[in-house]
Amino acid sequence: MSDRRSLSRIVRHFLVGAINGEFLIFLFFLALSGVFWLLMTLNETYEREFKVPVRIVNVPENVVLTSNECDTVRVTLRDKGLVLVGYAYGEGIRPINLNFKSYVKNTTGHSVIAMAEINRLLYQQLSASTKIVGTKTEKIELFFNFGISKKVPVKWSGRVVPEHLYFIANVDYSPDSVTVYASEERLDSILVAYTEQLNVSNFRDTLSLDCNLQKIKGVKFVPEKVRVRFMTDVLTEESIDDVPVIGINVPEGKTLRTFPSKVSVRFVTGVSQFRNLSRNDFLVEADYHEIETQPSEKCKIYLRSVPHGVTRATLSVQEVDYLIEDE
């Protein structure tokens, strides 16, 4: 019985060893064929697009670049697959450094570097067999000035809408103004630095966003990013009574009296803001000139001024009785 067991173990070990040996041989030849296939594939000619950084260096201290200090050009290279793999995953293609003093020969604030010059510099670091067969950039434009700047306020742009029954009570910017560098002509036309388009909705608490400023060709903002805080409040419809009616354009020696002399103003505002409002924040007027040119039994009154954050303001009455007295 023991002889049978020993025989079965010997047979089993022999078969397992044979199978493992054949499997290892199979894996070896599979890997070898894969290597040959890869070498044949990489020996073929291909085209691939690469992004090449272009930097402006040696900028004088009295010069401010108002275009990007580092741009990117996209070029299509043709060569053997092995060479292109080296560009993509080896040391890669080094950035092209453009010496400011070599390519800017004027003081107009604008200079153009043709793509042919970029290609010439790029060829210096490529293999002799590599060809540039296409570019998606026609030229590099440099905009600069000699420190001419001014400060402008920051404003948000886009669509920011809180939840129903909430509204934006106040907007805070940090910083609230930025320095803009540009040509003298362009500076005169820039009055505000706008953020990139915002698109936020359905919020009720204070919303803070870090925003990039909208890019303008040939213009540089410092800083280029700001923080915008949208502070919300709950809408409420309220009214304030006893707002006095003020007569305007009344000539000397005359007195304009209205009946009633005080009116109520209804409006929509935030709950927290309403606590700080008073009747002195509203201005209601009756115009003597209108009464004189358009005589009537009653005179019209107008709500001329309301505080910031108050909307849909209306008067309790639109016309009142009046009396003109001689002093």
Side-chain angles (χ1 to χ4, degrees):
M1 189 72 177
S2 59
D3 292 338
R4 291 181 180 177
R5 291 177 180 175
S6 299
L7 180 62
S8 64
R9 280 199 300 269
I10 292 171
V11 172
R12 185 166 58 250
H13 288 315
F14 173 77
L15 292 175
V16 170
I19 293 173
N20 286 344
E22 292 179 358
F23 183 67
L24 290 175
I25 294 172
F26 168 76
L27 289 181
F28 171 76
F29 282 104
L30 179 63
L32 187 62
S33 63
V35 170
F36 279 118
W37 174 84
L38 180 61
L39 290 176
M40 292 177 61
T41 301
L42 292 178
N43 198 43
E44 297 291 331
T45 299
Y46 297 95
E47 293 182 1
R48 176 169 175 174
E49 183 179 275
F50 291 86
K51 293 181 179 180
V52 183
V54 178
R55 299 172 180 168
I56 311 301
V57 298
N58 297 328
V59 180
E61 292 184 358
N62 65 329
V63 171
V64 177
L65 284 180
T66 56
S67 55
N68 293 331
E69 295 181 5
C70 183
D71 210 333
T72 301
V73 296
R74 298 167 66 183
V75 297
T76 302
L77 305 181
R78 176 188 293 163
D79 207 334
K80 300 291 186 182
L82 189 60
V83 178
L84 296 181
V85 168
Y87 293 148
Y89 303 105
E91 293 184 358
I93 301 176
R94 298 186 304 275
I96 296 175
N97 293 328
L98 299 177
N99 191 321
F100 181 88
K101 296 179 181 179
S102 300
Y103 296 99
V104 176
K105 304 296 184 182
N106 61 71
T107 58
T108 61
H110 180 231
S111 186
V112 176
I113 302 172
M115 195 60 202
E117 176 64 12
I118 304 297
N119 289 348
R120 184 186 70 82
L121 296 174
L122 181 57
Y123 268 125
Q124 293 178 2
Q125 60 172 299
L126 296 178
S127 171
S129 59
T130 304
K131 301 297 181 185
I132 300 174
V133 296
T135 61
K136 291 190 176 179
T137 306
E138 295 181 357
K139 58 189 177 181
I140 298 291
E141 288 190 276
L142 296 183
F143 292 91
F144 60 93
N145 73 12
F146 297 92
I148 304 173
S149 65
K150 72 176 183 180
K151 277 193 171 284
V152 295
V154 176
K155 297 292 182 185
W156 69 275
S157 62
R159 181 178 179 272
V160 180
V161 182
E163 287 185 6
H164 182 59
L165 297 181
Y166 284 79
F167 79 110
I168 298 173
N170 193 26
V171 181
D172 178 67
Y173 302 90
S174 181
D176 60 359
S177 62
V178 296
T179 302
V180 52
Y181 294 89
S183 64
E184 190 170 356
E185 179 181 355
R186 182 64 66 88
L187 275 179
D188 292 338
S189 64
I190 299 175
L191 304 178
V192 177
Y194 288 101
T195 67
E196 291 182 341
Q197 292 290 309
L198 305 178
N199 187 14
V200 185
S201 60
N202 297 326
F203 64 97
R204 61 173 62 183
D205 299 323
T206 297
L207 175 68
S208 295
L209 299 172
D210 291 324
C211 312
N212 292 317
L213 298 178
Q214 289 184 17
K215 294 186 181 300
I216 303 175
K217 189 176 182 179
V219 176
K220 181 177 183 178
F221 293 108
V222 179
E224 297 180 340
K225 179 178 288 187
V226 297
R227 169 162 288 194
V228 185
R229 295 176 65 238
F230 296 92
M231 286 158 278
T232 59
D233 200 354
V234 181
L235 286 172
T236 181
E237 186 173 1
E238 302 289 348
S239 67
I240 286 186
D241 301 325
D242 298 331
V243 178
V245 179
I246 307 298
I248 61 171
N249 298 320
V250 181
E252 292 187 10
K254 299 286 187 179
T255 300
L256 174 61
R257 301 186 187 279
T258 62
F259 305 95
S261 61
K262 298 178 181 180
V263 294
S264 299
V265 180
R266 295 193 62 82
F267 52 87
V268 174
T269 190
V271 172
S272 60
Q273 183 169 1
F274 174 69
R275 302 189 187 102
N276 300 319
L277 294 179
S278 70
R279 63 183 183 182
N280 296 326
D281 295 319
F282 299 84
L283 179 61
V284 180
E285 295 178 342
D287 192 347
Y288 181 89
H289 283 171
E290 183 176 313
I291 297 173
E292 196 174 37
T293 56
Q294 301 175 7
S296 175
E297 294 183 357
K298 294 181 178 290
C299 71
K300 294 182 180 180
I301 56 176
Y302 302 93
L303 182 59
R304 299 295 191 189
S305 177
V306 298
H308 175 73
V310 169
T311 61
R312 288 182 264 170
T314 58
L315 295 171
S316 56
V317 293
Q318 304 299 319
E319 294 182 331
V320 293
D321 294 321
Y322 68 93
L323 177 64
I324 298 175
E325 299 177 338
D326 294 322
E327 295 182 356

